[in-house]
Amino acid sequence: MVVGLGNPGPDYARTRHNVGQMVIDELADRFGTRLTAHKAGAAVGTAHVRPGGPKLLLAKPASYMNVSGRPVGALARFYSVAPANIIVVHDELDIPFDALKLKIGGSEGGHNGLKSISQVLGTKDYLRVRVGVGRPPGRQPAADFVLRPFSAAERELLPLHLDRAADAVVELATASLEQAQQKFHPAPTR
């Protein structure tokens, strides 16, 4: 199950906080999947990575970010998906805009959507695609920054960023976390 975090409604649709849902839209477009409303409080659709390959359940919670755990937990129960088979795609302030990181478990880093999911699932041990949105400029509060649209320069590069994050999701679904990290994490600088 691949969950893209964000907030509902057109006011939030193109903000940094909704980058997880943008990745789900990219995957749905890529696989020709239509997302439809589910009683768990999310838009869902299924996609096959390749014929006979892994099946992905794509999900965009219809709730606000801070209560993402409710629909994620309901979907996990409905589809009998263990936390280890959940990939959560979300915005990450501590990663530059043009980068992403993959991990399982660990701290939520102050991300209220992840905290809600961890609380409902009863574990932090689910996969995460942390899509970099960068830090706010100057003294701008982080909450204001993530709820604003991307800058003009970022919007030019956003399709590439979303495409790469979608590739990372597919890699996580078809290979090990370590293999995906080797492919998508930036090489260390010397």
Side-chain angles (χ1 to χ4, degrees), residues 145-166:
F145 179 70
V146 297
L147 293 176
R148 294 196 191 283
F150 289 97
S151 70
E154 290 170 332
R155 280 194 303 274
E156 273 189 46
L157 299 173
L158 187 59
L160 296 173
H161 198 30
L162 298 175
D163 187 59
R164 189 163 183 268

Side-chain angles (χ1 to χ4, degrees), residues 8 30-31 34 52 66 88 90 99 104 134 142 152 158-159 163 178:
R30 183 180 290 188
F31 295 117
R34 195 172 130 244
N66 295 352
V88 176
H90 65 91
I104 189 168
L158 187 59
D163 187 59
E178 293 75 22

Side-chain angles (χ1 to χ4, degrees), residues 35-121:
L35 302 178
T36 58
H38 189 279
K39 66 183 179 181
V44 300
T46 57
H48 286 276
V49 174
R50 61 183 172 276
K55 183 167 119 178
L56 302 179
L57 174 68
L58 305 177
K60 291 172 37 176
S63 64
Y64 283 93
M65 177 75 76
N66 295 352
V67 290
S68 297
R70 279 188 242 157
V72 172
L75 287 170
R77 286 187 299 279
F78 184 85
Y79 289 101
S80 300
V81 178
N85 292 322
I86 296 174
I87 301 170
V88 176
V89 186
H90 65 91
D91 60 308
E92 180 61 60
L93 287 167
D94 293 327
I95 298 174
F97 168 76
D98 60 348
L100 56 91
K101 294 265 184 153
L102 314 174
K103 74 176 204 172
I104 189 168
S107 169
E108 292 99 349
H111 196 290
N112 291 328
L114 295 176
K115 287 179 185 178
S116 176
I117 292 169
S118 296
Q119 182 180 23
V120 170
L121 294 180

